[in-house]
Amino acid sequence: MSDISIAALQAFRAVARCGSFTAAADDLGCAQSAVSRHIASLEKHLRQTLVLRGHRHIQLTAAGELYLETVTRALDELEQGAMRVARASGAPPTVKILAMPSFAARWLVPRLTRLHLARIDVEIELATSIWDADFRKERFDLGIHYGDGAWPGARLLMHDSLVPVASPSLLGGTPLRQISDLERFAWLHDSLRSSKWPQWLAACHGEGLASARHMKLQDTETTLTAAQAGLGIAIGHACLIEHDLREGRLVEAWPRHAPLAAGYHLIQTQRSARNPAARALAEWLMDQTASFRSPVAS
């Protein structure tokens, strides 16, 4: 065991979690060559092949999957030990959250200032990812992800719906009189969720409508930022634009919502079960989203 470094174990866990050496290196903030050396040192020590190297993705061998369970438990225990020491010294416990970028920026971060009202003293480490994660392998306490909730132990946080939104300045402070007025403006499209406009139009009986001007943007966050800047009308998720509507940065361009079957879900890892602060934060999040769990009327 003395020949195995903690850094090598962390690299192995990161490779298993991220699915590639490149992504693992980005996650750890080190060079890809360092990750490769760590994996090679583990395989040499164990005399087993742990990782099958593919062109774009890796796959763990049977030995690798077995070893990952041990590595995950060992690193979790070390982290838990650090938490116990921190608690003994009076430092607040740490809770690590993984969420989608748009949800983190537009819903979660604006509400974290309310934590002190609930008397939850905690240090939060917030990471974001747009990809599906294997939360059995993640080193996070709480995950917030969008979808149908088909993850073990997932709890529904919020229902969701789509609605067109724009900057108040773009509309000139005057509500549109009919749905066809949307055609006068540029339509902003989220490249990662390209079905939003067709989905909303179909739900609101606007299938024949079309704009002469379109702008494609990388993701939800960029698309909503472009709408705030007055570049056009975007289809927003009701959960994500609620704060912007209240603060007046956005307005509903047409007041019809298209309810979605998918929603935002809270996922608690096994790691969080051993973290009282994570459990308290999870219940706080459920309380904060209680009003969002009623199905949205169209």
Side-chain angles (χ1 to χ4, degrees):
M1 179 65 189
S2 60
D3 294 332
I4 300 177
S5 69
I6 298 298
L9 298 179
Q10 291 172 330
F12 176 61
R13 182 176 63 177
V15 167
R17 181 179 65 250
C18 298
S20 77
F21 280 51
T22 301
D26 290 340
D27 182 64
L28 295 171
C30 65
Q32 181 178 337
S33 58
V35 174
S36 297
R37 286 195 299 272
H38 284 314
I39 301 304
S41 70
L42 287 177
E43 292 180 325
K44 180 179 179 180
H45 178 83
L46 296 169
R47 298 180 182 178
Q48 293 278 351
T49 298
L50 302 175
V51 178
L52 297 177
R53 283 79 164 167
H55 177 60
R56 292 182 179 273
H57 298 283
I58 64 91
Q59 181 178 350
L60 296 186
T61 63
E65 290 284 1
L66 185 62
Y67 193 51
L68 179 62
E69 295 178 9
T70 300
V71 169
T72 300
R73 284 197 302 270
L75 292 177
D76 281 352
E77 184 58 33
L78 287 172
E79 291 168 356
Q80 291 296 322
M83 288 172 53
R84 289 191 289 271
V85 171
R87 285 197 295 270
S89 66
T94 299
V95 176
K96 298 184 179 182
I97 303 175
L98 177 67
M100 301 186 74
S102 54
F103 183 90
R106 295 187 174 266
W107 194 92
L108 182 58
V109 168
R111 284 170 171 78
L112 290 179
T113 55
R114 304 177 186 176
L115 270 178
H116 73 280
L117 298 175
R119 299 188 178 184
I120 298 177
D121 186 19
V122 63
E123 293 284 349
I124 290 178
E125 291 185 15
L126 177 59
T128 61
S129 174
I130 61 174
W131 308 114
D132 289 340
D134 186 343
F135 290 95
R136 294 169 300 175
K137 298 177 181 177
E138 291 291 349
R139 64 176 187 275
F140 297 95
D141 299 295
L142 305 176
I144 301 171
H145 206 63
Y146 183 79
D148 60 7
W151 303 286
R155 290 194 285 173
L156 176 67
L157 278 175
M158 293 182 282
H159 289 290
D160 202 8
S161 64
L162 300 177
V163 63
V165 293
S167 164
S169 61
L170 180 70
L171 303 183
T174 304
L176 302 185
R177 295 188 175 184
Q178 52 192 10
I179 191 172
S180 60
D181 289 340
L182 292 170
E183 294 180 314
R184 296 191 284 111
F185 303 93
W187 289 0
L188 307 177
H189 300 268
D190 175 352
S191 295
L192 289 176
R193 309 279 183 182
S194 58
S195 63
K196 287 180 183 178
W197 268 104
Q199 193 171 359
W200 181 82
L201 290 168
C204 298
H205 310 292
E207 296 96 327
L209 299 182
S211 171
R213 292 172 294 154
H214 299 269
M215 179 182 292
K216 291 185 178 180
L217 297 116
Q218 180 178 353
D219 52 28
T220 298
E221 180 62 21
T222 309
T223 305
L224 291 176
T225 300
Q228 288 177 210
L231 294 177
I233 296 176
I235 298 296
H237 288 260
C239 295
L240 303 183
I241 60 171
E242 182 251 358
H243 192 66
D244 296 303
L245 294 177
R246 187 170 60 249
E247 297 291 329
R249 289 183 292 271
L250 292 172
V251 295
E252 292 186 357
W254 189 252
R256 287 290 302 277
H257 285 243
L260 295 172
Y264 289 91
H265 293 79
L266 177 66
I267 301 167
Q268 292 181 251
T269 63
Q270 291 182 354
R271 167 197 173 104
S272 71
R274 301 187 296 272
N275 186 340
R279 296 198 301 270
L281 186 56
E283 295 311 312
W284 179 82
L285 286 168
M286 294 300 296
D287 289 342
Q288 290 292 305
T289 57
S291 63
F292 292 86
R293 285 195 288 278
S294 297
V296 179
S298 59

